């Protein structure tokens, strides 16, 4: 699965705040994700994150 820093992941389950969208802050063996609803950050293993992704929204690259 091709996930990049800055992408927005829509997960199967919602965060307790009600948002199911997470921003990718770091990639590697673990992902650091930031909840788009409340700003809470978590570290989650890559395998678990990739299993629970429903959709990916790419961050647009800004042209200078």
């Amino acid at each position: 699965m091709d996930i990049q820093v800055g992408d927005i992941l829509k997960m199967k389950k919602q965060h307790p705040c009600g948002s199911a969208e997470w921003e990718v802050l770091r990639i590697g063996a673990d992902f650091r994700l930031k909840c788009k609803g409340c700003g809470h950050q978590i570290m989650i293993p890559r395998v678990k994150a990739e299993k629970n992704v429903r959709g990916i929204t790419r961050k647009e690259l800004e042209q200078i």
Side-chain angles (χ1 to χ4, degrees):
M1 189 173 285
D2 184 30
I3 298 173
Q4 302 294 322
V5 173
D7 290 349
I8 305 297
L9 305 179
K10 183 160 178 80
M11 304 299 260
K12 288 182 181 177
K13 293 187 177 180
Q14 291 184 348
H15 189 248
C17 74
S19 176
E21 294 187 340
W22 296 82
E23 180 181 359
V24 179
L25 300 178
R26 178 186 177 277
I27 56 175
D30 294 325
F31 287 168
R32 178 174 295 277
L33 303 176
K34 179 179 176 184
C35 178
K36 295 296 284 180
C38 65
H40 183 76
Q41 293 185 14
I42 61 169
M43 290 287 286
I44 186 171
R46 175 185 283 269
V47 175
K48 189 172 181 181
E50 288 180 347
K51 179 182 173 187
N52 291 320
V53 170
R54 283 250 170 120
I56 301 172
T57 304
R58 299 283 176 208
K59 183 175 181 181
E60 297 293 326
L61 297 177
E62 296 180 10
Q63 299 290 332
I64 297 176

Short mmCIF file of all heavy atoms in Angstrom, two decimals:
data_model
loop_
_atom_site.label_atom_id
_atom_site.label_comp_id
_atom_site.label_asym_id
_atom_site.label_seq_id
_atom_site.Cartn_x
_atom_site.Cartn_y
_atom_site.Cartn_z
N MET A 1 0.85 -1.18 0.00
CA MET A 1 0.00 0.00 0.00
C MET A 1 0.89 1.24 0.00
O MET A 1 1.84 1.32 0.76
CB MET A 1 -0.90 -0.04 1.24
CG MET A 1 -1.97 1.01 1.23
SD MET A 1 -3.14 0.84 2.59
CE MET A 1 -4.09 -0.53 2.02
N ASP A 2 0.57 2.19 -0.86
CA ASP A 2 1.39 3.40 -1.00
C ASP A 2 0.79 4.53 -0.18
O ASP A 2 -0.13 5.21 -0.61
CB ASP A 2 1.47 3.79 -2.48
CG ASP A 2 2.39 4.97 -2.70
OD1 ASP A 2 3.36 5.12 -1.93
OD2 ASP A 2 2.14 5.74 -3.64
N ILE A 3 1.32 4.71 1.02
CA ILE A 3 0.87 5.78 1.91
C ILE A 3 2.05 6.72 2.13
O ILE A 3 3.15 6.29 2.41
CB ILE A 3 0.38 5.20 3.26
CG1 ILE A 3 -0.83 4.28 3.03
CG2 ILE A 3 0.02 6.33 4.22
CD1 ILE A 3 -1.29 3.55 4.26
N GLN A 4 1.79 8.02 1.98
CA GLN A 4 2.84 9.04 2.12
C GLN A 4 2.50 9.97 3.28
O GLN A 4 1.35 10.08 3.68
CB GLN A 4 2.95 9.86 0.83
CG GLN A 4 3.26 9.04 -0.41
CD GLN A 4 4.63 8.39 -0.36
OE1 GLN A 4 5.57 9.00 0.13
NE2 GLN A 4 4.72 7.18 -0.85
N VAL A 5 3.53 10.67 3.78
CA VAL A 5 3.33 11.68 4.82
C VAL A 5 2.42 12.78 4.27
O VAL A 5 2.60 13.23 3.14
CB VAL A 5 4.67 12.27 5.29
CG1 VAL A 5 4.46 13.43 6.24
CG2 VAL A 5 5.52 11.20 5.93
N GLY A 6 1.43 13.17 5.04
CA GLY A 6 0.49 14.20 4.62
C GLY A 6 -0.82 13.66 4.09
O GLY A 6 -1.79 14.40 3.95
N ASP A 7 -0.88 12.36 3.78
CA ASP A 7 -2.12 11.75 3.30
C ASP A 7 -3.15 11.71 4.42
O ASP A 7 -2.81 11.67 5.60
CB ASP A 7 -1.88 10.32 2.81
CG ASP A 7 -1.09 10.25 1.52
OD1 ASP A 7 -0.89 11.29 0.89
OD2 ASP A 7 -0.67 9.13 1.16
N ILE A 8 -4.42 11.70 4.04
CA ILE A 8 -5.52 11.56 4.99
C ILE A 8 -6.09 10.16 4.82
O ILE A 8 -6.49 9.77 3.72
CB ILE A 8 -6.63 12.61 4.73
CG1 ILE A 8 -6.06 14.02 4.73
CG2 ILE A 8 -7.76 12.45 5.75
CD1 ILE A 8 -5.44 14.46 6.04
N LEU A 9 -6.10 9.38 5.91
CA LEU A 9 -6.61 8.01 5.87
C LEU A 9 -8.00 7.98 6.48
O LEU A 9 -8.23 8.54 7.55
CB LEU A 9 -5.71 7.07 6.67
CG LEU A 9 -4.23 7.04 6.29
CD1 LEU A 9 -3.50 6.06 7.20
CD2 LEU A 9 -4.05 6.65 4.84
N LYS A 10 -8.94 7.34 5.80
CA LYS A 10 -10.26 7.09 6.36
C LYS A 10 -10.23 5.66 6.88
O LYS A 10 -10.02 4.73 6.12
CB LYS A 10 -11.35 7.28 5.32
CG LYS A 10 -12.73 7.09 5.88
CD LYS A 10 -13.77 7.74 5.00
CE LYS A 10 -15.15 7.52 5.53
NZ LYS A 10 -15.50 8.40 6.60
N MET A 11 -10.44 5.50 8.20
CA MET A 11 -10.33 4.20 8.84
C MET A 11 -11.70 3.55 9.00
O MET A 11 -12.73 4.21 8.91
CB MET A 11 -9.67 4.35 10.22
CG MET A 11 -8.31 5.02 10.17
SD MET A 11 -7.11 4.13 9.20
CE MET A 11 -6.20 3.33 10.49
N LYS A 12 -11.71 2.22 9.24
CA LYS A 12 -12.95 1.49 9.43
C LYS A 12 -13.69 1.94 10.68
O LYS A 12 -14.90 2.11 10.66
CB LYS A 12 -12.66 -0.01 9.53
CG LYS A 12 -12.25 -0.65 8.23
CD LYS A 12 -12.04 -2.13 8.41
CE LYS A 12 -11.60 -2.76 7.12
NZ LYS A 12 -11.31 -4.20 7.29
N LYS A 13 -12.96 2.11 11.77
CA LYS A 13 -13.59 2.49 13.04
C LYS A 13 -13.34 3.97 13.33
O LYS A 13 -12.29 4.51 13.00
CB LYS A 13 -13.03 1.66 14.19
CG LYS A 13 -13.39 0.19 14.10
CD LYS A 13 -12.96 -0.53 15.35
CE LYS A 13 -13.40 -1.98 15.30
NZ LYS A 13 -12.99 -2.70 16.51
N GLN A 14 -14.30 4.58 14.00
CA GLN A 14 -14.16 5.99 14.37
C GLN A 14 -13.37 6.12 15.67
O GLN A 14 -13.36 5.23 16.51
CB GLN A 14 -15.53 6.61 14.59
CG GLN A 14 -16.35 6.76 13.35
CD GLN A 14 -17.67 7.47 13.64
OE1 GLN A 14 -18.05 7.64 14.77
NE2 GLN A 14 -18.35 7.87 12.58
N HIS A 15 -12.73 7.28 15.80
CA HIS A 15 -12.11 7.67 17.06
C HIS A 15 -13.25 8.06 18.01
O HIS A 15 -14.32 8.45 17.54
CB HIS A 15 -11.17 8.87 16.79
CG HIS A 15 -10.31 9.25 17.93
ND1 HIS A 15 -10.47 10.43 18.61
CD2 HIS A 15 -9.29 8.60 18.54
CE1 HIS A 15 -9.58 10.51 19.57
NE2 HIS A 15 -8.85 9.41 19.55
N PRO A 16 -13.07 7.95 19.32
CA PRO A 16 -14.15 8.33 20.25
C PRO A 16 -14.69 9.75 20.05
O PRO A 16 -15.83 10.03 20.41
CB PRO A 16 -13.51 8.19 21.62
CG PRO A 16 -12.49 7.12 21.43
CD PRO A 16 -11.95 7.33 20.04
N CYS A 17 -13.92 10.64 19.43
CA CYS A 17 -14.40 12.01 19.19
C CYS A 17 -15.40 12.05 18.03
O CYS A 17 -16.07 13.05 17.82
CB CYS A 17 -13.24 12.96 18.91
SG CYS A 17 -12.49 12.77 17.30
N GLY A 18 -15.50 10.96 17.26
CA GLY A 18 -16.47 10.89 16.16
C GLY A 18 -15.86 10.96 14.78
O GLY A 18 -16.53 10.71 13.79
N SER A 19 -14.58 11.30 14.67
CA SER A 19 -13.92 11.41 13.37
C SER A 19 -13.29 10.07 12.98
O SER A 19 -12.74 9.37 13.82
CB SER A 19 -12.83 12.48 13.43
OG SER A 19 -12.14 12.53 12.21
N ALA A 20 -13.38 9.72 11.70
CA ALA A 20 -12.76 8.50 11.19
C ALA A 20 -11.58 8.84 10.28
O ALA A 20 -11.02 7.96 9.64
CB ALA A 20 -13.78 7.66 10.43
N GLU A 21 -11.19 10.12 10.21
CA GLU A 21 -10.10 10.56 9.34
C GLU A 21 -8.86 10.88 10.14
O GLU A 21 -8.93 11.52 11.19
CB GLU A 21 -10.54 11.76 8.51
CG GLU A 21 -11.64 11.43 7.53
CD GLU A 21 -11.95 12.57 6.59
OE1 GLU A 21 -11.61 13.73 6.91
OE2 GLU A 21 -12.54 12.30 5.53
N TRP A 22 -7.72 10.42 9.65
CA TRP A 22 -6.43 10.58 10.32
C TRP A 22 -5.41 11.10 9.32
O TRP A 22 -5.35 10.63 8.18
CB TRP A 22 -5.95 9.24 10.86
CG TRP A 22 -6.84 8.67 11.92
CD1 TRP A 22 -8.00 7.98 11.73
CD2 TRP A 22 -6.65 8.75 13.33
NE1 TRP A 22 -8.53 7.62 12.93
CE2 TRP A 22 -7.73 8.08 13.93
CE3 TRP A 22 -5.67 9.33 14.13
CZ2 TRP A 22 -7.85 7.97 15.31
CZ3 TRP A 22 -5.79 9.21 15.50
CH2 TRP A 22 -6.87 8.54 16.08
N GLU A 23 -4.57 12.04 9.74
CA GLU A 23 -3.48 12.56 8.91
C GLU A 23 -2.21 11.80 9.24
O GLU A 23 -1.89 11.57 10.41
CB GLU A 23 -3.27 14.05 9.19
CG GLU A 23 -2.16 14.65 8.36
CD GLU A 23 -1.94 16.13 8.64
OE1 GLU A 23 -2.67 16.69 9.48
OE2 GLU A 23 -1.03 16.69 8.03
N VAL A 24 -1.46 11.38 8.22
CA VAL A 24 -0.20 10.66 8.41
C VAL A 24 0.91 11.66 8.68
O VAL A 24 1.18 12.53 7.86
CB VAL A 24 0.14 9.80 7.17
CG1 VAL A 24 1.46 9.08 7.36
CG2 VAL A 24 -0.98 8.82 6.85
N LEU A 25 1.56 11.54 9.85
CA LEU A 25 2.65 12.44 10.22
C LEU A 25 4.01 11.77 10.03
O LEU A 25 5.01 12.45 9.83
CB LEU A 25 2.51 12.89 11.68
CG LEU A 25 1.23 13.64 12.04
CD1 LEU A 25 1.22 13.96 13.52
CD2 LEU A 25 1.10 14.89 11.21
N ARG A 26 4.07 10.43 10.14
CA ARG A 26 5.33 9.70 10.05
C ARG A 26 5.04 8.31 9.50
O ARG A 26 4.01 7.72 9.82
CB ARG A 26 5.94 9.58 11.45
CG ARG A 26 7.23 8.80 11.51
CD ARG A 26 7.67 8.63 12.98
NE ARG A 26 8.86 7.84 13.09
CZ ARG A 26 8.89 6.50 13.07
NH1 ARG A 26 7.78 5.82 12.94
NH2 ARG A 26 10.03 5.86 13.18
N ILE A 27 5.94 7.81 8.65
CA ILE A 27 5.81 6.45 8.14
C ILE A 27 7.07 5.67 8.46
O ILE A 27 8.12 6.24 8.73
CB ILE A 27 5.51 6.42 6.62
CG1 ILE A 27 6.58 7.17 5.84
CG2 ILE A 27 4.14 6.98 6.33
CD1 ILE A 27 6.43 7.07 4.35
N GLY A 28 6.96 4.37 8.46
CA GLY A 28 8.07 3.47 8.78
C GLY A 28 7.46 2.15 9.22
O GLY A 28 6.41 1.75 8.73
N ALA A 29 8.09 1.46 10.18
CA ALA A 29 7.52 0.23 10.72
C ALA A 29 6.23 0.56 11.47
O ALA A 29 5.30 -0.25 11.53
CB ALA A 29 8.51 -0.45 11.66
N ASP A 30 6.17 1.77 12.05
CA ASP A 30 4.97 2.27 12.70
C ASP A 30 4.55 3.55 12.00
O ASP A 30 5.37 4.25 11.42
CB ASP A 30 5.25 2.61 14.18
CG ASP A 30 5.58 1.39 15.00
OD1 ASP A 30 5.01 0.33 14.73
OD2 ASP A 30 6.40 1.52 15.93
N PHE A 31 3.26 3.86 12.06
CA PHE A 31 2.75 5.12 11.55
C PHE A 31 2.42 6.01 12.73
O PHE A 31 1.91 5.55 13.74
CB PHE A 31 1.45 4.93 10.76
CG PHE A 31 1.62 4.30 9.40
CD1 PHE A 31 0.51 3.85 8.71
CD2 PHE A 31 2.84 4.17 8.80
CE1 PHE A 31 0.63 3.28 7.46
CE2 PHE A 31 2.98 3.61 7.54
CZ PHE A 31 1.86 3.17 6.87
N ARG A 32 2.70 7.32 12.61
CA ARG A 32 2.18 8.29 13.58
C ARG A 32 1.03 8.97 12.87
O ARG A 32 1.18 9.54 11.79
CB ARG A 32 3.22 9.33 13.98
CG ARG A 32 2.61 10.37 14.95
CD ARG A 32 3.60 11.35 15.51
NE ARG A 32 4.61 10.73 16.34
CZ ARG A 32 4.44 10.42 17.64
NH1 ARG A 32 3.31 10.68 18.23
NH2 ARG A 32 5.41 9.88 18.32
N LEU A 33 -0.15 8.87 13.48
CA LEU A 33 -1.37 9.43 12.91
C LEU A 33 -1.93 10.49 13.83
O LEU A 33 -1.83 10.38 15.06
CB LEU A 33 -2.42 8.32 12.72
CG LEU A 33 -2.02 7.13 11.85
CD1 LEU A 33 -3.13 6.10 11.84
CD2 LEU A 33 -1.67 7.56 10.45
N LYS A 34 -2.53 11.52 13.23
CA LYS A 34 -3.16 12.61 13.98
C LYS A 34 -4.63 12.65 13.61
O LYS A 34 -4.98 12.73 12.43
CB LYS A 34 -2.49 13.94 13.63
CG LYS A 34 -3.09 15.13 14.34
CD LYS A 34 -2.34 16.39 13.93
CE LYS A 34 -2.97 17.62 14.52
NZ LYS A 34 -2.30 18.83 14.04
N CYS A 35 -5.50 12.58 14.62
CA CYS A 35 -6.94 12.62 14.40
C CYS A 35 -7.32 13.98 13.83
O CYS A 35 -6.92 15.02 14.35
CB CYS A 35 -7.67 12.35 15.71
SG CYS A 35 -9.47 12.43 15.55
N LYS A 36 -8.12 13.98 12.76
CA LYS A 36 -8.55 15.24 12.14
C LYS A 36 -9.65 15.91 12.95
O LYS A 36 -9.93 17.08 12.76
CB LYS A 36 -9.05 14.99 10.71
CG LYS A 36 -7.97 14.51 9.76
CD LYS A 36 -6.89 15.53 9.55
CE LYS A 36 -7.38 16.62 8.64
NZ LYS A 36 -6.38 17.65 8.38
N GLY A 37 -10.28 15.17 13.87
CA GLY A 37 -11.35 15.75 14.68
C GLY A 37 -10.84 16.49 15.90
O GLY A 37 -11.16 17.66 16.12
N CYS A 38 -9.99 15.82 16.70
CA CYS A 38 -9.58 16.41 17.98
C CYS A 38 -8.08 16.68 18.09
O CYS A 38 -7.63 17.30 19.04
CB CYS A 38 -10.01 15.49 19.14
SG CYS A 38 -9.19 13.89 19.15
N GLY A 39 -7.28 16.18 17.13
CA GLY A 39 -5.85 16.45 17.15
C GLY A 39 -5.02 15.44 17.94
O GLY A 39 -3.81 15.59 18.03
N HIS A 40 -5.67 14.41 18.50
CA HIS A 40 -4.95 13.38 19.26
C HIS A 40 -4.01 12.62 18.34
O HIS A 40 -4.37 12.30 17.21
CB HIS A 40 -5.96 12.42 19.90
CG HIS A 40 -5.35 11.38 20.76
ND1 HIS A 40 -4.89 11.65 22.02
CD2 HIS A 40 -5.11 10.06 20.54
CE1 HIS A 40 -4.39 10.54 22.54
NE2 HIS A 40 -4.53 9.57 21.65
N GLN A 41 -2.78 12.34 18.81
CA GLN A 41 -1.80 11.62 18.00
C GLN A 41 -1.57 10.23 18.57
O GLN A 41 -1.52 10.05 19.79
CB GLN A 41 -0.48 12.37 17.95
CG GLN A 41 -0.57 13.68 17.22
CD GLN A 41 0.77 14.36 17.08
OE1 GLN A 41 1.82 13.76 17.31
NE2 GLN A 41 0.76 15.62 16.70
N ILE A 42 -1.44 9.24 17.66
CA ILE A 42 -1.18 7.87 18.07
C ILE A 42 -0.06 7.28 17.21
O ILE A 42 0.21 7.76 16.11
CB ILE A 42 -2.42 6.97 17.93
CG1 ILE A 42 -2.91 6.89 16.47
CG2 ILE A 42 -3.53 7.43 18.86
CD1 ILE A 42 -3.95 5.83 16.22
N MET A 43 0.60 6.27 17.74
CA MET A 43 1.53 5.45 16.97
C MET A 43 0.84 4.10 16.80
O MET A 43 0.33 3.53 17.76
CB MET A 43 2.85 5.25 17.72
CG MET A 43 3.70 6.50 17.82
SD MET A 43 4.48 6.98 16.27
CE MET A 43 5.76 5.76 16.12
N ILE A 44 0.81 3.60 15.57
CA ILE A 44 0.14 2.34 15.27
C ILE A 44 1.03 1.53 14.33
O ILE A 44 1.66 2.10 13.43
CB ILE A 44 -1.26 2.61 14.67
CG1 ILE A 44 -2.05 1.34 14.46
CG2 ILE A 44 -1.16 3.38 13.39
CD1 ILE A 44 -3.50 1.58 14.08
N PRO A 45 1.16 0.21 14.55
CA PRO A 45 1.97 -0.61 13.64
C PRO A 45 1.46 -0.53 12.20
O PRO A 45 0.25 -0.43 11.97
CB PRO A 45 1.81 -2.03 14.19
CG PRO A 45 1.36 -1.86 15.60
CD PRO A 45 0.59 -0.57 15.63
N ARG A 46 2.38 -0.54 11.25
CA ARG A 46 2.04 -0.44 9.83
C ARG A 46 1.00 -1.49 9.42
O ARG A 46 0.03 -1.18 8.73
CB ARG A 46 3.30 -0.60 8.98
CG ARG A 46 3.02 -0.64 7.48
CD ARG A 46 4.28 -0.92 6.68
NE ARG A 46 5.13 0.25 6.60
CZ ARG A 46 5.05 1.14 5.60
NH1 ARG A 46 4.17 1.00 4.65
NH2 ARG A 46 5.86 2.17 5.58
N VAL A 47 1.20 -2.73 9.85
CA VAL A 47 0.30 -3.82 9.45
C VAL A 47 -1.13 -3.54 9.90
O VAL A 47 -2.08 -3.71 9.14
CB VAL A 47 0.80 -5.17 10.04
CG1 VAL A 47 -0.17 -6.29 9.73
CG2 VAL A 47 2.17 -5.50 9.49
N LYS A 48 -1.29 -3.09 11.15
CA LYS A 48 -2.62 -2.81 11.68
C LYS A 48 -3.26 -1.62 10.96
O LYS A 48 -4.46 -1.64 10.65
CB LYS A 48 -2.54 -2.54 13.17
CG LYS A 48 -3.87 -2.43 13.85
CD LYS A 48 -3.73 -2.36 15.35
CE LYS A 48 -5.09 -2.28 16.01
NZ LYS A 48 -4.98 -2.18 17.46
N ALA A 49 -2.48 -0.59 10.68
CA ALA A 49 -3.00 0.59 9.99
C ALA A 49 -3.46 0.23 8.57
O ALA A 49 -4.55 0.62 8.15
CB ALA A 49 -1.95 1.69 9.94
N GLU A 50 -2.64 -0.51 7.83
CA GLU A 50 -2.98 -0.86 6.45
C GLU A 50 -4.22 -1.76 6.40
O GLU A 50 -5.01 -1.68 5.47
CB GLU A 50 -1.79 -1.54 5.77
CG GLU A 50 -0.67 -0.57 5.45
CD GLU A 50 0.52 -1.22 4.78
OE1 GLU A 50 0.60 -2.47 4.76
OE2 GLU A 50 1.38 -0.47 4.29
N LYS A 51 -4.40 -2.59 7.42
CA LYS A 51 -5.55 -3.49 7.48
C LYS A 51 -6.85 -2.71 7.68
O LYS A 51 -7.90 -3.10 7.17
CB LYS A 51 -5.36 -4.48 8.62
CG LYS A 51 -6.49 -5.46 8.79
CD LYS A 51 -6.22 -6.36 9.96
CE LYS A 51 -7.44 -7.23 10.26
NZ LYS A 51 -7.27 -8.00 11.48
N ASN A 52 -6.79 -1.59 8.43
CA ASN A 52 -8.00 -0.85 8.80
C ASN A 52 -8.31 0.34 7.91
O ASN A 52 -9.27 1.06 8.18
CB ASN A 52 -7.89 -0.40 10.26
CG ASN A 52 -7.95 -1.57 11.21
OD1 ASN A 52 -8.73 -2.49 11.01
ND2 ASN A 52 -7.13 -1.54 12.24
N VAL A 53 -7.55 0.58 6.84
CA VAL A 53 -7.78 1.72 5.95
C VAL A 53 -8.94 1.42 5.01
O VAL A 53 -8.99 0.38 4.38
CB VAL A 53 -6.50 2.05 5.14
CG1 VAL A 53 -6.80 3.07 4.06
CG2 VAL A 53 -5.42 2.56 6.07
N ARG A 54 -9.87 2.37 4.93
CA ARG A 54 -10.97 2.28 3.97
C ARG A 54 -10.68 3.09 2.72
O ARG A 54 -11.11 2.73 1.63
CB ARG A 54 -12.26 2.80 4.59
CG ARG A 54 -12.91 1.87 5.54
CD ARG A 54 -14.19 1.34 4.92
NE ARG A 54 -14.71 0.26 5.73
CZ ARG A 54 -15.89 0.26 6.30
NH1 ARG A 54 -16.67 1.31 6.17
NH2 ARG A 54 -16.29 -0.78 7.00
N GLY A 55 -9.98 4.22 2.89
CA GLY A 55 -9.69 5.08 1.75
C GLY A 55 -8.54 6.02 2.05
O GLY A 55 -8.25 6.30 3.21
N ILE A 56 -7.89 6.49 0.98
CA ILE A 56 -6.75 7.41 1.12
C ILE A 56 -7.04 8.65 0.29
O ILE A 56 -7.42 8.55 -0.88
CB ILE A 56 -5.44 6.76 0.61
CG1 ILE A 56 -5.13 5.49 1.38
CG2 ILE A 56 -4.29 7.75 0.71
CD1 ILE A 56 -3.96 4.71 0.82
N THR A 57 -6.86 9.82 0.91
CA THR A 57 -6.96 11.09 0.20
C THR A 57 -5.56 11.67 0.15
O THR A 57 -4.94 11.90 1.18
CB THR A 57 -7.91 12.07 0.93
OG1 THR A 57 -9.17 11.44 1.08
CG2 THR A 57 -8.06 13.35 0.15
N ARG A 58 -5.07 11.89 -1.05
CA ARG A 58 -3.72 12.43 -1.23
C ARG A 58 -3.69 13.92 -0.93
O ARG A 58 -4.59 14.65 -1.31
CB ARG A 58 -3.24 12.23 -2.66
CG ARG A 58 -3.14 10.81 -3.07
CD ARG A 58 -1.91 10.18 -2.49
NE ARG A 58 -1.89 8.77 -2.84
CZ ARG A 58 -1.31 7.85 -2.13
NH1 ARG A 58 -0.70 8.18 -1.02
NH2 ARG A 58 -1.33 6.60 -2.49
N LYS A 59 -2.62 14.36 -0.28
CA LYS A 59 -2.40 15.79 -0.06
C LYS A 59 -1.87 16.36 -1.37
O LYS A 59 -0.94 15.82 -1.97
CB LYS A 59 -1.40 16.01 1.07
CG LYS A 59 -1.19 17.47 1.41
CD LYS A 59 -0.30 17.61 2.60
CE LYS A 59 -0.11 19.07 2.94
NZ LYS A 59 0.77 19.24 4.08
N GLU A 60 -2.47 17.44 -1.82
CA GLU A 60 -2.04 18.07 -3.07
C GLU A 60 -0.68 18.72 -2.89
O GLU A 60 -0.43 19.40 -1.90
CB GLU A 60 -3.05 19.14 -3.49
CG GLU A 60 -4.42 18.59 -3.81
CD GLU A 60 -4.43 17.71 -5.03
OE1 GLU A 60 -3.65 17.98 -5.98
OE2 GLU A 60 -5.20 16.75 -5.06
N LEU A 61 0.22 18.52 -3.84
CA LEU A 61 1.52 19.16 -3.81
C LEU A 61 1.37 20.60 -4.27
O LEU A 61 0.78 20.87 -5.32
CB LEU A 61 2.50 18.42 -4.72
CG LEU A 61 2.81 16.98 -4.31
CD1 LEU A 61 3.72 16.36 -5.36
CD2 LEU A 61 3.49 16.94 -2.96
N GLU A 62 1.90 21.50 -3.47
CA GLU A 62 1.79 22.92 -3.82
C GLU A 62 2.89 23.31 -4.77
O GLU A 62 4.06 23.01 -4.56
CB GLU A 62 1.87 23.77 -2.53
CG GLU A 62 0.72 23.52 -1.59
CD GLU A 62 0.83 24.38 -0.35
OE1 GLU A 62 1.68 25.28 -0.31
OE2 GLU A 62 0.06 24.11 0.59
N GLN A 63 2.53 23.99 -5.84
CA GLN A 63 3.49 24.47 -6.82
C GLN A 63 3.93 25.89 -6.44
O GLN A 63 3.10 26.74 -6.14
CB GLN A 63 2.86 24.49 -8.22
CG GLN A 63 2.42 23.13 -8.70
CD GLN A 63 3.61 22.21 -9.00
OE1 GLN A 63 4.67 22.69 -9.33
NE2 GLN A 63 3.40 20.92 -8.85
N ILE A 64 5.23 26.13 -6.48
CA ILE A 64 5.74 27.46 -6.15
C ILE A 64 6.04 28.22 -7.42
O ILE A 64 6.51 27.77 -8.38
CB ILE A 64 7.02 27.36 -5.28
CG1 ILE A 64 6.64 26.67 -3.97
CG2 ILE A 64 7.61 28.72 -5.03
CD1 ILE A 64 7.82 26.43 -3.07
#
